[in-house]
Amino acid sequence: MMNDNFNVENPINENIEYAFKNLIFYVVVSTQLDIYKEQKTKFEKVLFEINKVCLFM
């Protein structure tokens, strides 16, 4: 569900969390789609970097 108050120019925790959740969702889904199979390792590297960032939160 899209947050009606989401605004990339308003870096409050709620907006950052919303954007981060969407980033993770679309990267994970992209690793599962056949149309992106050639880029799967790139998406997995992105997920690895996201995981490293999450460890410091």
Side-chain angles (χ1 to χ4, degrees):
M1 184 172 121
M2 177 139 175
N3 184 346
D4 293 333
N5 298 321
F6 177 76
N7 183 343
V8 294
E9 295 180 8
N10 187 9
I12 61 173
N13 284 342
E14 187 176 89
N15 287 339
I16 293 168
E17 183 178 319
Y18 175 82
F20 200 69
K21 284 179 181 178
N22 278 297
L23 168 67
I24 293 170
F25 172 78
Y26 287 109
V27 173
V28 168
V29 169
S30 296
T31 65
Q32 304 301 312
L33 296 174
D34 287 339
I35 61 172
Y36 296 121
K37 65 183 173 187
E38 292 179 11
Q39 292 86 14
K40 184 174 181 171
T41 56
K42 292 179 182 178
F43 287 123
E44 288 172 341
K45 287 179 184 179
V46 170
L47 287 172
F48 179 76
E49 293 300 319
I50 290 170
N51 191 44
K52 286 189 340 188
V53 169
C54 289
L55 291 174
F56 295 109
M57 294 178 132

